[in-house]
Amino acid sequence: MRTLTTTRLALPPWHPRFEEDLCRLSADPRVTRYLGDGRPWDRERAAARHGEFLAHWREHGFGWRAILLRDAADESAIGVAALNRLPRPVPGIDEPAIEIGWWVDPRHWGKGIATEAATAIRDEAFTDHRAARLVALYQPANHASGNIMRKIGMRHHDDITGPYDEDVRVYVLERANWSVMPR
Ligand SMILES: CC(C)(COP(=O)(O)OP(=O)(O)OC[C@H]1O[C@@H](n2cnc3c(N)ncnc32)[C@H](O)[C@@H]1OP(=O)(O)O)[C@@H](O)C(=O)NCCC(=O)NCCS
């Protein structure tokens, strides 16, 4: 369970000390606007997800990571970068598939932080975990997230309906395409 580092960021595996950060981030409606039902999470929902993040690491040896600024005075998470087993099947995607995702504290939007974290965990998935492919899902109005998927080399796969009856766009990066990308 190693911490990934990039030029500006440290991405440690999820840890009990990040529960308060998850509560803070997920209570912000700007963060949850395009996640599932779009509603901010109450403490109970955040605590349940926090437990799932820790359990995913124990079960699979990879999972959600906190995004920390390496030059920050404190160690609070300013976001979340996720590699996780796809929670439900997507038509045309072979199982087991790994999903990639990201959230950043709105105070830090627009500085390339999500793209920097996404690039690091994309490479972790293909090198450390020998992923066959990566899958990412976003609601079509979430243009920033779609931009990140394209910037890290993902391609449009399908448009589906999510569990809350929401429109969801599916992007995929196959190992064969990743392996020939300039890095
Ligand atoms: C999506 C999110 C993680 C992006 O974080 P970020 O650190 O600001 O992203 P980056 O700075 O790396 O920018 C990503 C790209 O999106 C673009 N972008 C940012 N905000 C945008 C917006 N409102 N509309 C269109 N494009 C936008 C950026 O310009 C950049 O593309 P570019 O390099 O081609 O200019 C952030 O908005 C967020 O946390 N949203 C809430 C959680 C969420 O929806 N997560 C994704 C679920 S699928």
Side-chain angles (χ1 to χ4, degrees):
M1 298 217 314
R2 67 188 176 103
T3 293
L4 302 179
T5 54
T6 66
T7 309
R8 294 178 294 173
L9 309 175
L11 306 173
W14 201 254
H15 184 275
R17 74 176 183 277
F18 298 127
E19 182 169 4
E20 279 309 309
D21 295 313
L22 184 64
C23 289
R24 186 188 80 250
L25 289 165
S26 65
D28 188 326
R30 294 170 294 179
V31 172
T32 55
R33 181 175 177 192
Y34 299 118
L35 305 178
D37 61 10
R39 294 209 309 266
W41 297 1
D42 58 21
R43 277 201 84 82
E44 197 183 353
R45 188 172 178 186
R49 295 293 289 146
H50 169 74
E52 289 167 20
F53 291 4
L54 294 171
H56 192 286
W57 272 98
R58 285 195 298 273
E59 190 176 344
H60 300 293
F62 64 90
W64 283 261
R65 293 175 178 275
I67 301 178
L68 310 182
L69 288 172
R70 291 173 62 176
D71 66 0
D74 66 14
E75 290 225 324
S76 63
I78 60 140
V80 178
L83 288 180
N84 55 277
R85 282 289 176 88
L86 202 57
R88 58 192 67 80
V90 170
I93 304 284
D94 291 340
E95 297 283 336
I98 300 180
E99 181 181 13
I100 184 170
W102 35 75
W103 308 358
V104 169
D105 186 323
R107 284 179 299 166
H108 294 280
W109 283 2
K111 302 178 193 169
I113 286 174
T115 304
E116 192 169 319
T119 304
I121 60 170
R122 173 200 68 187
D123 294 343
E124 176 203 359
F126 287 114
T127 53
D128 296 11
H129 311 303
R130 311 293 303 162
R133 64 189 55 78
L134 278 180
V135 180
L137 310 174
Y138 79 102
Q139 297 183 15
N142 194 355
H143 301 293
S145 204
N147 276 352
I148 295 166
M149 291 172 200
R150 287 181 287 277
K151 286 201 307 183
I152 66 169
M154 306 190 82
R155 295 177 186 174
H156 182 240
H157 167 77
D158 201 359
D159 292 327
I160 62 172
T161 302
Y164 299 93
D165 212 28
E166 77 279 25
D167 292 334
V168 173
R169 195 151 282 167
V170 182
Y171 269 63
V172 173
L173 177 58
E174 298 289 343
R175 181 175 193 83
N177 297 112
W178 170 80
S179 62
V180 295
M181 281 169 53
R183 280 191 294 281

